[in-house]
């Protein structure tokens, strides 16, 4: 199997800064890590490779220093790393990012062969949009499975994949044909530490580095700030509430504590009890 994993180097959320003028994330001087959600996707890809054979390629778009995250992915066990880097990509929103990544994936398939599965994390900790994975799938015409909590079955011969997908109503069990794109949830697996051999290989591995031109991206107006219709009007920290949370003294039993809590809620919101009674009666 040939599996591609899209990862992103993100600033450590504990030390993130925002540019006061452009309202974009300032990455200079801020420690970076692999987006945590992407690690679960990488681990799932490595498990499928270990079981069925093949290779895992990791792809990221970012500045040259993003090569550090690719080497970490190689140290965990990935077979190949591709860095898409160019000044034209600076300031990309999700629309511009999916365009560049989709073009790079097409180039990867031309160079290294068709990919059976494309993995991505459900979202990134710096943007939290959860749009890039589905956006790439749309541009490539791939079937997409989002918020996947478990790969239940994979049959490379039948070109089928069965997954468990978390939804608001419970868990959906879905079957799809390959090729497809899968975004993984946090906690879907336990990410391996990587063997010493992989760490040594990662240290001397050659990172495949492509510019926009190398990746076959011809329309640069769809990249970077020029290709990003998203405008961040204002970035601010929410102001603290003036009203403090109420504390309900615990009772001797759980039942009494629950009754005390309900009574406190109804006393603070008098109309709530009537609304709930009306809803329960069906009127």
């Amino acid at each position: 199997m040939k599996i591609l994993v899209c990862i992103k180097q993100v600033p450590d959320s504990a030390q993130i800064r925002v540019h006061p003028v452009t309202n974009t994330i300032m990455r200079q001087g801020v420690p970076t890590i692999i987006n945590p959600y992407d690690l679960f996707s990488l681990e799932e890809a490595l498990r499928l490779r270990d079981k069925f054979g093949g290779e895992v390629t990791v792809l990221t778009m970012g500045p040259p220093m993003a090569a550090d995250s690719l080497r970490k992915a190689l140290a965990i066990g990935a077979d190949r790393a591709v860095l898409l880097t160019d000044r034209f990509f600076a300031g990309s929103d999700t629309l511009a990012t999916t365009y560049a990544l989709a073009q790079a994936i097409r180039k990867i398939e031309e160079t290294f062969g068709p990919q059976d599965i494309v993995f991505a994390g459900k979202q990134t900790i710096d943007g939290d949009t959860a749009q890039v994975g589905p956006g790439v799938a749309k541009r490539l015409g791939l079937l997409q499975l989002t918020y996947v909590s478990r790969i239940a079955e994979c049959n490379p011969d039948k070109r089928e994949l069965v997954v468990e997908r978390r939804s608001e109503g419970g868990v959906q069990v879905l079957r799809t044909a390959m090729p497809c794109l899968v975004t993984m949830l946090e906690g879907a697996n336990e990410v391996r530490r990587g063997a010493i051999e992989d760490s040594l290989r990662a240290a001397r591995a050659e990172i495949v580095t492509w510019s926009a031109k190398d990746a076959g991206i011809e329309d640069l107006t769809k990249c970077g700030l020029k290709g990003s219709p998203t405008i961040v009007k204002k970035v601010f920290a929410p102001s603290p509430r003036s009203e403090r949370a109420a504390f309900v003294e615990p009772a001797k039993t759980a039942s009494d504590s629950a009754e005390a809590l309900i009574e406190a809620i109804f006393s603070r919101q008098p109309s709530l009890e009537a609304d709930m009674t009306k809803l329960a009666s069906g009127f």
Side-chain angles (χ1 to χ4, degrees):
M1 293 184 67
K2 290 183 181 293
I3 304 174
L4 177 70
V5 183
C6 295
I7 68 171
K8 184 181 181 183
Q9 185 181 64
V10 296
D12 189 335
S13 58
Q15 303 185 49
I16 197 169
R17 296 181 300 164
V18 177
H19 195 283
V21 177
T22 62
N23 286 326
T24 57
I25 293 174
M26 298 174 61
R27 302 179 186 276
Q28 293 78 12
V30 180
T32 57
I33 58 175
I34 297 177
N35 178 51
Y37 297 114
D38 298 341
L39 291 174
F40 298 109
S41 291
L42 176 58
E43 172 62 29
E44 205 64 41
L46 294 174
R47 292 186 180 191
L48 292 176
R49 180 207 59 188
D50 294 344
K51 184 175 182 179
F52 299 106
E55 60 183 22
V56 172
T57 300
V58 287
L59 166 67
T60 192
M61 185 184 85
M65 67 178 184
D68 295 338
S69 291
L70 290 175
R71 291 197 185 277
K72 291 177 183 177
L74 290 171
I76 294 175
D79 301 288
R80 180 187 298 109
V82 178
L83 171 62
L84 185 62
T85 183
D86 201 305
R87 62 185 178 86
F88 294 108
F89 302 142
S92 295
D93 67 358
T94 55
L95 185 68
T97 297
T98 57
Y99 171 74
L101 287 177
Q103 293 296 104
I105 292 173
R106 291 190 180 99
K107 181 67 175 181
I108 287 174
E109 293 195 316
E110 291 175 5
T111 308
F112 306 112
Q115 304 297 304
D116 299 297
I117 304 175
V118 177
F119 275 104
K122 72 164 185 177
Q123 63 193 64
T124 59
I125 62 173
D126 57 351
D128 277 339
T129 64
Q131 294 174 351
V132 171
V136 169
K138 176 64 176 179
R139 291 186 183 276
L140 295 176
L142 296 175
L143 299 170
Q144 58 175 295
L145 299 166
T146 57
Y147 297 97
V148 172
S149 58
R150 177 173 172 263
I151 303 293
E153 181 183 338
C154 180
N155 192 323
D157 296 328
K158 292 184 178 180
R159 307 282 293 163
E160 288 184 346
L161 190 69
V162 180
V163 305
E164 293 180 3
R165 179 183 185 272
R166 189 184 301 170
S167 66
E168 293 182 359
V171 176
Q172 299 173 338
V173 179
L174 304 175
R175 182 185 304 271
T176 187
M178 295 189 285
C180 59
L181 183 142
V182 177
T183 68
M184 298 296 299
L185 285 176
E186 70 281 4
N189 49 49
E190 185 175 346
V191 182
R192 66 189 69 186
R193 296 179 62 88
I196 295 179
E197 294 80 3
D198 289 325
S199 297
L200 296 174
R201 176 176 58 85
R204 59 176 181 267
E206 178 183 356
I207 304 294
V208 179
T209 304
W210 289 339
S211 63
K213 182 178 179 180
D214 296 330
I217 300 175
E218 299 179 354
D219 190 353
L220 296 179
T221 62
K222 295 183 179 180
C223 300
L225 286 173
K226 289 184 178 180
S228 302
T230 304
I231 298 176
V232 180
K233 183 177 180 181
K234 185 179 180 181
V235 176
F236 62 95
S239 57
R241 294 182 178 180
S242 58
E243 184 181 5
R244 300 184 62 181
F247 179 76
V248 178
E249 290 286 348
K252 292 183 179 181
T253 66
S255 177
D256 292 340
S257 296
E259 289 183 6
L261 178 60
I262 293 173
E263 183 178 350
I265 292 174
F266 287 159
S267 64
R268 292 171 65 91
Q269 302 184 44
S271 63
L272 181 60
E273 184 174 8
D275 292 341
M276 292 183 65
T277 303
K278 183 178 181 181
L279 182 65
S281 62
F283 296 100

